[in-house]
Amino acid sequence: QTVVTQEPSFSVSPGGTVTLTCGLSSGSVSTNHYPSWYQQTPGQAPRTLIYSTNTRSSGVPDRFSGSILGNKAALTITGAQADDESDYYCVLYMGSGFGVFGGGTKLTVL
Amino acid sequence: QVQLQESGPGLVKPSQTLSLTCTVSGGSISSGSYYWSWIRQPAGKGLEWIGRIYTSGSTNYNPSLKSRITISVDTSKNQFSLKLSSVTAADTAVYYCARVAPNWKFDPWGQGTLVTVSS
C-alpha cells in the first residue's frame, strides 16, 4: 500500500524560511496527484492552505507557497511567524477515486 | 458560505455500527461538481481519508476500510452519512466531514465530532 511521507517534525526561527515536503514511498509526486496542504492547530479542524500543487486558498498569506521539488510536493513558508506553529498535512490523489493523507509535520517556531 | 456540521452518537460499543451525519448549510449539496467526504483523526495522530460520495450516489472508499464502510447521501435533507460497522477501540477518533472539489481540494471542513468506542 502506498504511503505518503512527511517529515515528522521541523523547526524554524521566527522570520526564517522552511520547506516541508510530501513524498511517496514508491514513485514521484507530480501535479497529477493534485497535492494540497492543510494547517491544523490543536482542537481545530484543518484549514486549507494550498491546493492543486501551488494555488493558495482564499485568505491565505502569500508567504505560504506550494510547488513540486524534485520528486516531492513542497510547502514553503517564508518569513515564519509564531502563529505558524501548527501541524501541516498534505494529501495526494492516488487515482481510482481515492486519496491518502501524509502523516503530518509538526512545525515549531522558535 | 457553505458550512458543514457533523452529528451522531459520541459513544459506540465495540462490534456495533458507528453512524454519523453531515449536514450541509448555506448551499445545496447537489450544486457544483463536488464530492462529499469523511476523514478521521485518532487522538494525537494524523488524518485518514475514509471515503467520498457524489450526489449521484457514486462512492469511493479507503481500501483499508472498504469492507466496513457505507457512505450515503440524502439530497432532500442536504445531508450525507457514514456508517462504519464492527467497530473496535481503534476506530475511536474525531470524525470530520468535508466538501471535496474535483481538484481534490478539501474545503470547507466541519468542526469534527469525537466518537469513542468503548463498552
Side-chain angles (χ1 to χ4, degrees), chain A residues 61-84:
Chain A
D62 60 6
R63 55 200 180 77
F64 291 91
S65 62
S67 64
I68 298 290
L69 284 181
N71 62 350
K72 297 181 180 182
L75 173 70
T76 299
I77 307 172
T78 304
Q81 300 181 0
D83 60 4
D84 295 336

Side-chain angles (χ1 to χ4, degrees), chain A residues 1 34 36 38 40 44-46 48 51-52 57 89 91-93 96-99 101-103, chain B residues 39 41 45-49 52 60-64 96 102-107 109-111:
Chain A
Q1 185 172 347
Y34 298 99
S36 56
Y38 304 84
Q40 188 182 37
Q44 299 297 312
T48 311
Y51 61 97
S52 293
S57 192
Y89 293 92
V91 62
L92 301 178
Y93 175 58
S96 301
F98 82 97
F101 281 91
Chain B
I39 305 100
Q41 185 174 36
K45 297 188 178 181
L47 299 167
E48 180 181 31
W49 181 77
R52 68 176 189 175
N60 300 106
Y61 296 147
N62 184 325
S64 67
Y96 295 100
N103 59 10
W104 213 252
K105 174 188 177 185
F106 289 74
D107 187 81
W109 295 65
Q111 66 183 28

Side-chain angles (χ1 to χ4, degrees), chain A residues 30-32 34-37 50-55 65-68 73-74:
Chain A
S30 74
T31 56
N32 292 329
Y34 298 99
S36 56
W37 292 89
I50 301 286
Y51 61 97
S52 293
T53 305
N54 56 13
T55 304
S65 62
S67 64
I68 298 290

Side-chain angles (χ1 to χ4, degrees), chain B residues 16-73:
Chain B
Q16 294 191 342
T17 296
L18 177 161
S19 296
L20 295 174
T21 296
C22 182
T23 300
V24 179
S25 60
S28 171
I29 198 171
S30 300
S31 66
S33 301
Y34 294 109
Y35 283 83
W36 303 89
S37 191
W38 288 97
I39 305 100
R40 70 180 182 178
Q41 185 174 36
K45 297 188 178 181
L47 299 167
E48 180 181 31
W49 181 77
I50 297 172
R52 68 176 189 175
I53 189 165
Y54 196 63
T55 49
S56 65
S58 172
T59 55
N60 300 106
Y61 296 147
N62 184 325
S64 67
L65 298 169
K66 188 173 184 177
S67 63
R68 298 195 292 133
I69 300 171
T70 301
I71 298 178
S72 59
V73 64

